Amino acid sequence: MKRTIDKYFYKTFFSLFGIVAMQNLIVFSVNLADSIMLGSYNEAAMSGVSLANQVQYLLQCAVSGFANGLVVIASQYWGKKDTAPIKKVFSAAFITAVFTSFAMGAVVYAVPREVLGILSNETEIVEAAVDYIRIMALTYVIFAITNILTALMRSVESVKIGFVSSALALVTNIGLNWLLIFGKLGFPEMGAIGAAYATFAARAVEFIAVAVYVFFIDKKLKTRLRDLFSCGRIYFRDFIRTGLPLVGSGSSWGVAMAVQTAIIGRLGAAAIGANAIAAPVFQVVAVLYSSTGTASSVLIGKTVGEDDIPRVKVYTKRLQKMFIVIGLVSCGLLLLLKNMILDIYDVSAETRGLASVFIVILSITVIGSSYEAPCLCGIVSGGGDTKFVLFNDIIFMWCMVLPLSVLSAFVFKFPIPVTFFILKSDQITKCAVAAVKVNRYKWIRTLTHD
């Protein structure tokens, strides 16, 4: 029996983790491509697009909350081999995600300067991003729908389409960036606006690929367009009760990242430029531990749905060891690639120096992130306890990290790297809470109906 469990565990986990990691890496690389290619075009444009991408990151966090709520519930039904309720929960996630992304896109499109002004008081940088972010606002609904469809497939262990669609998006984005940012092959030189059009096209390609697969090719669920609005009151209530805390946690995290950007954005142009380099690097490295969380959530959720609690406990212990190893590997990769990353950007010496320190700090804190995030967002949430993550984030981020960072930056006026370290310190302090919570097993809850 042990050999069978081991074989199933490793095969399922690494297949989910590997493909999801590659997909998430590509998703983040779409925005990273804009930053890198604009970094060799104009530093102000690069910093401006980085600000705009912080708003996109807030959307990503909110949509991830809806997607994770769908995965948590649907994976338990998948463990029971009951697929009809999965479509109902999917409909609830779809409706709420579309409404939220539409509202956010409308605000950003209507008042782009005001939104960007929250993140920075550098007029040149804000103006460089206004046209870019208005075009990006038009992609928010498309992005949300694509992610909900991908999460639906992920909850039933079909993850390849997410990778394929994201790869198509990346190729489209890089190719059009080269044509439209720099004006190659007779195309006009459009700078940041060209990057926005390229990203818009990439999101459209990604959406079409996923939609065609879900509605016309997938045989596990056989989802149809009529299923988009077929959620009943019971399943909508279940999704709100279970998924809303994850949406709140994701949104809270996204807003907190925007506040962090706003704090750094008031420490000078060099700090903004350094963060423009470090932020996407951190997001790419975060792919590793967020992907372990996603894989763990599906694996644990399905096993809880099968009502095999002893196996849930075996998986939990094994996963924690893997999280620590992944954190150490991530740390080593960041330190190894630091100079190579910095060489990509054509920035001032002051900006490069700060960016180097920021990346070193991230290489340390990512060890903690790689343990606590998948423990709480993967194992605990996947097991059915979705409220704990929200309360934990509120306490650590809003009651500790952000107030201390404001004091560091504007009252005590500590050096910029000190403030940056405080902004990321919760990734280490949360580890103790995660270790206690996950090993008590009080998070195991059945979310399905008979």
Side-chain angles (χ1 to χ4, degrees):
M1 174 63 71
K2 184 176 180 180
R3 287 185 179 180
T4 303
I5 291 177
D6 287 351
K7 183 178 180 180
Y8 170 79
F9 171 83
Y10 289 115
K11 179 181 179 181
T12 304
F13 176 82
F14 282 111
S15 62
L16 286 171
F17 165 67
I19 297 177
V20 171
M22 288 188 290
Q23 179 200 347
N24 288 341
L25 180 61
I26 292 170
V27 170
F28 282 120
S29 296
V30 172
N31 289 337
L32 183 62
D34 289 352
S35 179
I36 291 175
M37 297 180 80
L38 285 169
S40 61
Y41 177 78
N42 180 280
E43 184 171 344
M46 179 198 72
S47 298
V49 168
S50 177
L51 288 182
N53 283 339
Q54 288 300 313
V55 181
Q56 170 75 21
Y57 185 64
L58 171 59
L59 174 71
Q60 288 178 339
C61 290
V63 171
S64 293
F66 291 113
N68 291 337
L70 168 60
V71 169
V72 167
I73 303 174
S75 61
Q76 289 199 12
Y77 279 112
W78 181 241
K80 294 178 64 174
K81 299 302 179 185
D82 188 2
T83 58
I86 295 177
K87 298 179 184 180
K88 306 291 186 181
V89 179
F90 158 68
S91 177
F94 174 84
I95 293 170
T96 50
V98 168
F99 176 81
T100 302
S101 58
F102 178 81
M104 186 173 174
V107 171
V108 172
Y109 187 86
V111 288
R113 286 182 179 82
E114 288 76 4
V115 171
L116 292 167
I118 296 173
L119 302 177
S120 175
N121 57 2
E122 296 284 338
T123 304
E124 181 186 4
I125 293 175
V126 169
E127 287 299 321
V130 168
D131 291 333
Y132 177 89
I133 199 172
R134 291 193 74 184
I135 297 171
M136 291 301 298
L138 301 176
T139 71
Y140 287 179
V141 172
I142 298 174
F143 177 82
I145 295 174
T146 301
N147 277 266
I148 295 301
L149 291 174
T150 304
L152 175 66
M153 292 294 95
R154 190 178 296 164
S155 65
V156 295
E157 301 177 270
S158 296
V159 292
K160 292 182 180 179
I161 180 56
F163 167 71
V164 172
S165 62
S166 297
L168 290 173
L170 180 62
V171 172
T172 301
N173 190 55
I174 291 178
L176 291 178
N177 269 351
W178 183 73
L179 294 174
L180 299 177
I181 292 176
F182 304 102
K184 302 294 185 179
L185 301 180
F187 284 83
E189 182 179 333
M190 304 174 69
I193 298 176
Y197 284 128
T199 303
F200 185 98
R203 297 298 185 204
V205 168
E206 183 180 32
F207 163 72
I208 292 171
V210 174
V212 168
Y213 181 85
V214 171
F215 294 113
F216 300 103
I217 299 176
D218 172 62
K219 300 301 181 184
K220 290 182 178 180
L221 296 177
K222 298 180 180 178
T223 309
R224 297 295 178 259
L225 291 174
R226 62 178 177 271
D227 295 321
L228 294 176
F229 302 99
S230 63
C231 66
R233 185 173 16 172
I234 293 176
Y235 296 101
F236 190 84
R237 183 191 62 196
D238 287 347
F239 178 77
I240 293 299
R241 184 167 50 196
T242 302
L244 202 58
L246 293 175
V247 176
S249 177
S251 301
S252 172
W253 180 260
V255 172
M257 293 301 100
V259 173
Q260 291 190 16
T261 300
I263 292 172
I264 295 174
R266 282 157 176 76
L267 299 179
I272 297 174
N275 191 55
I277 297 172
V281 170
F282 170 72
Q283 291 173 3
V284 169
V285 174
V287 162
L288 289 176
Y289 67 75
S290 65
S291 300
T292 58
T294 299
S296 302
S297 179
V298 174
L299 187 62
I300 294 295
K302 181 182 178 183
T303 310
V304 171
E306 294 170 342
D307 198 26
D308 192 344
I309 306 306
R311 192 149 55 101
V312 171
K313 294 182 178 181
V314 171
Y315 289 174
T316 299
K317 294 182 183 298
R318 191 172 296 157
L319 286 168
Q320 290 179 76
K321 297 175 183 177
M322 296 170 65
F323 297 159
I324 295 173
V325 172
I326 290 171
L328 293 172
V329 170
S330 300
C331 172
L333 285 174
L334 264 183
L335 293 175
L336 183 65
L337 300 175
K338 176 171 68 71
N339 290 332
M340 187 183 302
I341 293 168
L342 294 173
D343 289 340
I344 295 174
Y345 295 90
D346 183 15
V347 295
S348 66
E350 183 182 6
T351 299
R352 180 186 174 94
L354 273 178
S356 177
V357 177
F358 285 4
I359 293 175
V360 170
I361 292 173
L362 291 175
S363 69
I364 297 171
T365 58
V366 76
I367 299 175
S369 304
S370 298
Y371 176 76
E372 61 88 10
C375 275
L376 298 177
C377 300
I379 295 175
V380 173
S381 294
D385 186 355
T386 58
K387 294 180 181 179
F388 181 82
V389 177
L390 173 60
F391 296 143
N392 191 59
D393 283 346
I394 290 174
I395 292 172
F396 276 93
M397 180 60 70
W398 293 98
C399 299
M400 296 172 58
V401 169
L402 292 179
L404 289 175
S405 300
V406 170
L407 291 174
S408 172
F410 307 119
V411 178
F412 300 112
K413 299 187 184 300
F414 288 146
I416 294 174
V418 174
T419 300
F420 187 82
F421 177 78
I422 295 174
L423 287 169
K424 305 300 178 184
S425 61
D426 64 310
Q427 302 304 300
I428 297 176
T429 54
K430 285 180 182 176
C431 289
V433 174
V436 173
K437 176 68 176 178
V438 78
N439 288 297
R440 286 184 174 178
Y441 302 107
K442 294 181 179 180
W443 41 266
I444 302 175
R445 300 173 185 177
T446 301
L447 304 174
T448 59
H449 298 288
D450 292 331

